[in-house]
Amino acid sequence: FTYVGELNEEASSTNNNFTYVGELNEEASSTNNNFRFVTFHPSFSYEDFLEGIRPVIKDEGTKNESFSYKRQDGIFKQICDDARRSKESFVLIIDEVNRGNIPKIFGELITLIEDDKRGTELDLAYSKKPFSVPENLFVLGTMNTADKSLIQIDAALRRRFAFVEMMPDSNLSHIKNKVVEGIPLKDLMDKLNKKIREKAHRDKQIGHSYFLKIKDIESLHFVFVYKIIPLLQDYLYGDYDDLHSILGDKFISKSEKVIHQKITDSPEE
């Protein structure tokens, strides 16, 4: 959608796309909840997203407790109804959009979310009532392209979204200006990712989120040993020669094919 481009253009002026998304959610709490957030996962369904039959418990915890079934609106239908009653813009952020069964979750929305189909009505499966997607609703989806084992975005849905690539950014202020015991985090991240691109793939690079909370040498070592190295092991299928070429003797013993849990475990220390 065009709005994706506008968001990222405006975000680029702050040099921090993630901060901008956070500001959107903070603003949402003070502007009648114009922004909603949902995470897709394998159990997420059309009934959760649009509408479905759900159990309703009455008098829970009492001797008169009972339940019945009622049609309930999902998060997408709720935000559509709110947007339709307003002239303001509404945004739905879908995190991990490729982790769900996308065709099953979207159903007839695959047609209604198209730019030229906004306002077009279709009868919903459960309520049989006409439904349309308003023009002032914008949908943002996030996905990690390194997750090749997950369901891929099919061509039909891909055509309905504009894609903005967000590669690791070592120029974020916390990384660019941070030096830990003589180690510049920006240089460390850049050199690490350069080696990863040479041995693995550009999609396998280490994201900046791993470096944002590093404060001292202990937290830096913890991130490497317990987060970055296990991730690289998966990416490289346990190839210790490639791991060694990326990380060096401080973390990997090439001959013994083991990971040093502490920097002082290295024979060079």
Side-chain angles (χ1 to χ4, degrees):
F1 297 94
T2 305
Y3 197 64
V4 174
E6 293 173 359
L7 281 176
N8 280 276
E9 288 172 8
E10 192 168 342
S12 65
S13 64
T14 68
N15 203 25
N16 191 334
N17 287 330
F18 294 100
T19 299
Y20 189 73
V21 172
E23 290 170 1
L24 287 178
N25 281 282
E26 291 172 6
E27 185 179 339
S29 62
S30 61
T31 56
N32 200 24
N33 202 16
N34 288 26
F35 296 83
R36 315 285 168 83
F37 187 94
V38 65
T39 301
F40 279 5
H41 52 80
S43 297
F44 200 80
S45 67
Y46 174 94
E47 289 76 13
D48 299 312
F49 195 55
L50 196 56
E51 66 172 9
I53 306 299
R54 288 287 183 262
V56 177
I57 300 177
K58 296 180 179 180
D59 302 321
E60 184 176 4
T62 71
K63 63 180 181 179
N64 296 322
E65 178 177 316
S66 63
F67 74 93
S68 60
Y69 289 95
K70 181 180 179 182
R71 181 186 60 78
Q72 293 185 347
D73 294 339
I75 186 171
F76 188 80
K77 189 171 186 297
Q78 292 172 15
I79 195 171
C80 282
D81 291 342
D82 291 342
R84 199 175 290 110
R85 292 190 291 265
S86 174
K87 294 182 179 181
E88 298 180 355
S89 294
F90 282 70
V91 177
L92 175 64
I93 300 174
I94 304 174
D95 191 29
E96 305 285 2
V97 65
N98 61 326
R99 284 186 176 271
N101 187 334
I102 297 171
K104 184 177 180 180
I105 293 173
F106 274 80
E108 58 267 39
L109 295 178
I110 199 71
T111 296
L112 298 181
I113 62 175
E114 287 194 72
D115 287 342
D116 61 348
K117 299 297 191 302
R118 293 299 182 97
T120 301
E121 292 186 340
L122 289 177
D123 291 342
L124 296 179
Y126 284 88
S127 64
K128 308 302 180 184
K129 294 181 179 180
F131 175 79
S132 64
V133 179
E135 294 185 0
N136 59 333
L137 172 64
F138 303 96
V139 182
L140 306 182
T142 69
M143 60 183 288
N144 188 342
T145 56
D147 297 333
K148 297 299 184 183
S149 62
L150 301 177
I151 297 173
Q152 299 297 297
I153 301 292
D154 63 37
L157 186 61
R158 181 177 289 273
R159 289 195 301 269
R160 287 156 173 80
F161 283 86
F163 281 73
V164 179
E165 184 177 58
M166 296 185 66
M167 299 301 290
D169 186 1
S170 61
N171 287 314
L172 297 178
S173 58
H174 182 82
I175 299 174
K176 183 178 181 179
N177 302 323
K178 185 72 173 180
V179 179
V180 177
E181 294 197 13
I183 304 173
L185 292 188
K186 172 178 169 56
D187 292 347
L188 177 62
M189 179 178 164
D190 288 342
K191 291 177 180 179
L192 176 64
N193 280 331
K194 180 182 178 181
K195 290 184 177 181
I196 292 173
R197 290 194 301 270
E198 294 171 351
K199 291 294 181 181
H201 192 277
R202 65 189 298 272
D203 284 345
K204 307 297 186 184
Q205 296 177 83
I206 303 301
H208 42 257
S209 61
Y210 286 93
F211 294 85
L212 291 177
K213 294 185 178 181
I214 293 176
K215 298 179 179 178
D216 49 37
I217 193 65
E218 288 77 17
S219 58
L220 173 60
H221 183 259
F222 181 88
V223 167
F224 261 81
V225 172
Y226 299 107
K227 294 185 177 183
I228 292 177
I229 292 178
L231 184 64
L232 291 176
Q233 281 182 293
D234 286 341
Y235 286 164
L236 298 171
Y237 303 101
D239 189 325
Y240 280 81
D241 290 336
D242 282 346
L243 277 173
H244 179 269
S245 66
I246 293 173
L247 297 171
D249 293 328
K250 289 290 193 298
F251 289 97
I252 303 294
S253 172
K254 185 177 180 180
S255 58
E256 299 177 6
K257 298 187 183 303
V258 295
I259 298 170
H260 302 308
Q261 295 300 311
K262 298 179 180 179
I263 294 179
T264 52
D265 290 343
S266 173
E268 292 188 2
E269 284 295 313

